[in-house]
């Protein structure tokens, strides 16, 4: 819901777009429509799911948001590393990006290898 996810399969990125409906927000009587998507996963594929906290964080030399493209660049660099190394790099990169800025939101990034 409102968040894409990435699948790296055979070294190639599959960018799975999200629907524009939030899961929460039950205050409005609006029908929520979610597209069912199926993907074929293979041994060695890496899947990444995340909240908006990581890409929306302000930081860097120009105090801008990292954005999904910034996350994608990091994941592209590390996708072949063991997951334990990926976790450390992802965490360190976030802290480096954030610098002295306050964290603006919750941050959750889940990555796993099939």
């Amino acid at each position: 819901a409102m968040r894409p996810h990435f699948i790296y399969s055979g070294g190639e990125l599959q960018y799975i777009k999200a629907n524009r409906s939030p899961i929460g927000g039950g205050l409005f009587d609006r029908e929520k429509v979610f597209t069912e998507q199926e993907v074929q996963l293979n041994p060695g594929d890496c899947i990444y799911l995340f909240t908006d906290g990581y890409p929306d964080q302000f930081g860097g030399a120009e105090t801008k948001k990292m954005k999904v493209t910034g996350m994608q660049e990091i994941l592209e660099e590390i996708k072949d590393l063991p997951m334990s190394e990926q976790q450390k790099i992802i965490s360190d990169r976030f802290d480096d990006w954030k610098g002295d800025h306050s964290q603006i939101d919750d941050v959750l990034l889940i990555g796993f290898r099939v």
Side-chain angles (χ1 to χ4, degrees):
M2 297 186 68
R3 303 297 330 141
H5 58 276
F6 302 134
I7 300 173
Y8 283 97
S9 181
E12 298 296 318
L13 171 66
Q14 292 180 43
Y15 183 96
I16 309 298
K17 290 186 178 183
N19 292 107
R20 296 299 303 162
S21 294
I23 292 173
L27 300 175
F28 305 102
D29 290 333
R30 194 173 72 158
E31 184 177 336
K32 297 177 190 247
V33 178
F34 297 101
T35 306
E36 185 175 318
Q37 300 182 49
E38 284 188 35
V39 293
Q40 177 64 44
L41 298 176
N42 300 300
D45 288 356
C46 285
I47 296 91
Y48 301 95
L49 310 167
F50 53 91
T51 63
D52 59 351
Y54 201 104
D56 284 355
Q57 179 62 47
F58 287 99
E62 299 177 19
T63 312
K64 293 185 176 185
K65 287 185 177 183
M66 178 178 288
K67 298 188 178 180
V68 172
T69 54
M71 273 187 60
Q72 186 178 335
E73 290 171 8
I74 294 169
L75 296 175
E76 184 67 36
E77 290 175 31
I78 66 171
K79 67 183 185 297
D80 296 321
L81 297 174
M83 298 309 284
S84 59
E85 288 182 41
Q86 290 188 33
Q87 186 276 329
K88 177 149 179 34
I89 292 168
I90 288 167
S91 181
D92 290 348
R93 292 276 185 95
F94 181 81
D95 289 341
D96 290 346
W97 176 262
K98 183 175 61 124
D100 293 332
H101 301 284
S102 296
Q103 185 171 321
I104 62 167
D105 201 353
D106 61 296
V107 175
L108 176 67
L109 190 153
I110 298 172
F112 61 94
R113 180 168 284 138
V114 177

